[in-house]
């Protein structure tokens, strides 16, 4: 309710926001809810994207497939890592990548793809993920607009290597800021935990 939201917002100014046990409990509950093995909380969703890409240590000049509808912060992440953004047209029926343009834009220098699901719509995940795997792309799923969506009974965010959720204001699950990264890869999870410990 609105009253609960306002009360929680006001309380956030008077409580310790980095209480490890509470954060860990929330991470575990979110991972379970999303049917993923691991979840790590980051200061921002763009921070989670940054460290997801940094984990792969791609050579400078490697290409990252991106949607033309995004925020500047995500573009800044790609550029800060000396990677090259490559924009792919969207299919108007589901506002995710147009398959024909995507195939054209993937080159031998393409190393990663950011799949952004907009306005609760889900593309043909079977074909999209199949293509990405065939091209050996590192797959990031931004499901900030699409929490609870499923494809063939599997929750969006679990099809790639890392699923990213922005829990900033105006999102369905709003924690007054922050981002969450889910993965089923224990090596990625270990890297995230090492990274988060550096913040503390």
């Amino acid at each position: 309710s609105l009253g609960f939201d306002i009360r929680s917002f006001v309380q956030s100014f008077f409580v310790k926001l980095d209480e490890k046990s509470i954060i860990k409990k929330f991470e575990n509950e979110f991972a379970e809810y999303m049917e993923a093995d691991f979840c790590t909380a980051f200061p921002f969703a763009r921070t989670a994207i940054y460290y997801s890409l940094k984990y792969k240590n791609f050579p400078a000049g490697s290409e990252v497939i991106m949607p033309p509808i995004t925020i500047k912060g995500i573009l800044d992440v790609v550029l800060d890592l000396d990677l090259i953004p490559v924009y792919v047209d969207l299919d108007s029926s589901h506002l995710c990548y147009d398959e024909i343009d995507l195939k054209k834009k993937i080159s031998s220098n393409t190393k990663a793809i950011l799949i952004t699901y907009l306005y609760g719509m889900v593309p043909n995940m079977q074909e999209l993920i199949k293509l990405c795997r065939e091209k050996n792309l590192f797959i990031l799923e931004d499901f900030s607009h699409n929490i609870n969506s499923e494809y063939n009974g599997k929750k969006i965010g679990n099809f790639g290597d890392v699923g990213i959720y922005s829990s900033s204001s105006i999102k369905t699950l709003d924690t007054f800021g922050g981002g969450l990264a889910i993965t089923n890869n224990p090596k990625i999870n270990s890297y995230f935990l090492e990274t988060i410990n550096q913040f503390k």
Side-chain angles (χ1 to χ4, degrees), residues 115-184:
I115 302 173
T116 302
Y117 310 104
L118 296 172
Y119 310 115
M121 291 187 276
V122 178
N124 184 331
M125 296 302 297
Q126 184 174 346
E127 292 301 317
L128 179 56
I129 298 301
K130 179 183 176 184
L131 174 62
C132 294
R133 293 300 184 201
E134 285 174 352
K135 299 298 184 179
N136 198 32
L137 302 183
F138 185 64
I139 305 171
L140 301 177
E141 295 176 77
D142 180 354
F143 62 99
S144 301
H145 284 213
N146 231 356
I147 193 169
N148 288 327
S149 292
E150 296 183 357
Y151 181 86
N152 287 346
K154 184 175 181 178
K155 286 197 173 184
I156 294 299
N158 287 293
F159 285 85
D161 297 288
V162 181
I164 308 290
Y165 180 78
S166 169
S167 53
S168 63
S169 59
I170 76 168
K171 300 299 192 305
T172 304
L173 173 62
D174 173 7
T175 59
F176 309 120
L180 302 164
I182 61 171
T183 185
N184 295 307

Side-chain angles (χ1 to χ4, degrees), residues 53 56-66 78-79 81-88 97 101-114 135-140:
L53 291 171
K56 293 299 291 184
N57 195 27
F58 294 123
S62 297
E63 296 174 351
V64 179
I65 298 289
M66 294 181 63
V78 172
L79 296 176
L81 291 168
D82 292 323
L83 305 175
I84 299 172
V86 175
Y87 297 101
V88 172
Y97 294 121
D101 194 44
L102 178 58
K103 289 178 179 177
K104 288 179 182 175
K105 297 287 177 63
I106 296 174
S107 73
S108 59
N109 196 38
T110 308
K111 305 300 182 187
I113 184 169
L114 175 63
K135 299 298 184 179
N136 198 32
L137 302 183
F138 185 64
I139 305 171
L140 301 177

Side-chain angles (χ1 to χ4, degrees), residues 33 36 38-39 43 57 61 68 70 74 89 94 103 116 132 148 163 167:
Y33 180 78
F38 309 103
C39 172
N57 195 27
T70 188
I74 294 176
D89 290 338
H94 50 62
K103 289 178 179 177
T116 302
C132 294
N148 288 327
S167 53

